[in-house]
Amino acid sequence: MKKAISHLSLHLKNQMYSFSKRTLDIFISVTAILVLLPLFLPIIIILKFTGEGEIFYLQERVGKGGESFKIYKFATMLKNSESIGTGIYTAKNDPRILPFGNFLRKSKINELPQIFNILNGDISVVGPRPLIKKTFNLYDLEDQEFISTVKPGLTGIGSIIFRNEEELLSDANSNNLENFYEKNITPYKAALEKWYIKRSSIFIDIKLIFLTAWVIFFKHSRLPWQLFKDLPKNNIHNY
């Protein structure tokens, strides 16, 4: 009897969290669309008349349950960039990045069109980092199954901790980026995403939203480790 009550209580708790999270997603995405429209319009015009004239970049990512979806971003790189240079891996000062695209990437403004994915229900404001199939498959099967039990997010602990991923890749051997990514970055990303899923709550989500804004202005801040004392440890550049 106690076990049944415990399971029911956990189920209700999860249902309440899911409802609260989706409500927060809709509220934030609608508000963000209204607030950011004046910012989006000049960016759209600049992208249309500079670089290669592309405005949005749509890329297939892995979502909840392993289902794929198209993620929206502002275009920042040359067309077909995944077929040239270092492929799917982007390092700091990558020559494939367009001049205005460099600003959009550094400021993270290129990520903002994902608010439409949030409104559509493809992703949440907070969740595991949405990955392309190739990099998602670098997780072992058990991690893939566990991480895909929730929606990916516009931001999350993985996105915050690896906010300088391009710099990390710049320090690696350009001829061996895939091996560096698989052996050094992927295991830690998996640990971070599992950490979040096991502890997820509206309170944690709000903290991560705050941290996302914080690390944009204080890039090398140690605040994530001060707020979350039990974060998985790693020795990649003091991570």
Side-chain angles (χ1 to χ4, degrees):
M1 183 66 176
K2 287 183 179 180
K3 190 174 182 180
I5 293 174
S6 177
H7 280 302
L8 178 60
S9 177
L10 181 61
H11 176 71
L12 290 173
K13 182 180 178 181
N14 289 336
Q15 288 292 95
M16 284 297 296
Y17 173 57
S18 297
F19 176 77
S20 300
K21 190 177 180 75
R22 183 58 185 152
T23 301
L24 184 65
D25 285 344
I26 293 172
F27 174 76
I28 290 178
S29 58
V30 170
T31 302
I33 289 169
L34 295 174
V35 171
L36 292 172
L37 192 59
L39 173 66
F40 281 3
L41 291 177
I43 290 173
I44 289 171
I45 293 171
I46 292 171
L47 288 173
K48 184 64 179 176
F49 294 101
T50 61
E52 296 181 308
E54 294 291 313
I55 297 171
F56 296 106
Y57 172 62
L58 274 65
Q59 187 181 55
E60 196 168 279
R61 299 291 178 98
V62 178
K64 185 177 180 180
E67 297 293 326
S68 62
F69 69 96
K70 295 284 188 181
I71 202 166
Y72 296 92
K73 292 188 177 187
F74 281 124
T76 61
M77 302 179 73
L78 296 171
K79 294 177 184 176
N80 303 315
S81 59
E82 293 180 3
S83 303
I84 56 179
T86 52
I88 63 173
Y89 304 103
T90 307
K92 185 180 179 182
N93 301 320
D94 194 309
R96 298 170 299 169
I97 300 176
L98 298 166
F100 187 58
N102 192 47
F103 161 73
L104 293 177
R105 293 174 77 91
K106 284 184 176 180
S107 63
K108 301 299 182 183
I109 291 174
N110 67 309
E111 306 280 353
L112 292 181
Q114 291 173 51
I115 57 179
F116 295 103
N117 289 114
I118 296 172
L119 185 61
N120 192 47
D122 301 318
I123 65 175
S124 291
V125 174
V126 180
R129 200 168 187 175
L131 301 176
I132 64 172
K133 189 71 173 176
K134 185 173 181 178
T135 51
F136 184 79
N137 285 343
L138 294 178
Y139 292 143
D140 63 41
L141 289 177
E142 186 178 339
D143 288 344
Q144 288 180 37
E145 290 179 4
F146 187 67
I147 292 170
S148 63
T149 59
V150 301
K151 288 181 184 179
L154 171 63
T155 188
I157 193 61
S159 299
I160 291 168
I161 298 301
F162 278 95
R163 59 194 178 276
N164 68 338
E165 184 175 300
E166 292 182 4
E167 293 179 12
L168 291 174
L169 292 175
S170 296
D171 292 338
N173 186 330
S174 61
N175 296 319
N176 204 23
L177 284 185
E178 186 167 354
N179 183 64
F180 176 83
Y181 193 96
E182 181 176 1
K183 301 299 182 186
N184 295 280
I185 294 180
T186 297
Y188 190 36
K189 273 190 179 179
L192 290 168
E193 307 299 18
K194 289 188 292 183
W195 174 92
Y196 166 73
I197 294 170
K198 291 174 182 176
R199 293 159 180 76
S200 56
S201 68
I202 287 295
F203 184 55
I204 294 288
D205 287 353
I206 291 172
K207 276 188 172 183
L208 290 172
I209 291 170
F210 164 75
L211 276 175
T212 300
W214 180 268
V215 299
I216 288 175
F217 296 102
F218 305 100
K219 190 174 182 180
H220 299 289
S221 172
R222 302 290 300 177
L223 189 58
W225 288 269
Q226 294 167 3
L227 285 181
F228 303 118
K229 302 291 186 181
D230 62 339
L231 273 182
K233 299 293 189 293
N234 193 277
N235 60 4
I236 302 177
H237 289 204
N238 298 320
Y239 278 65

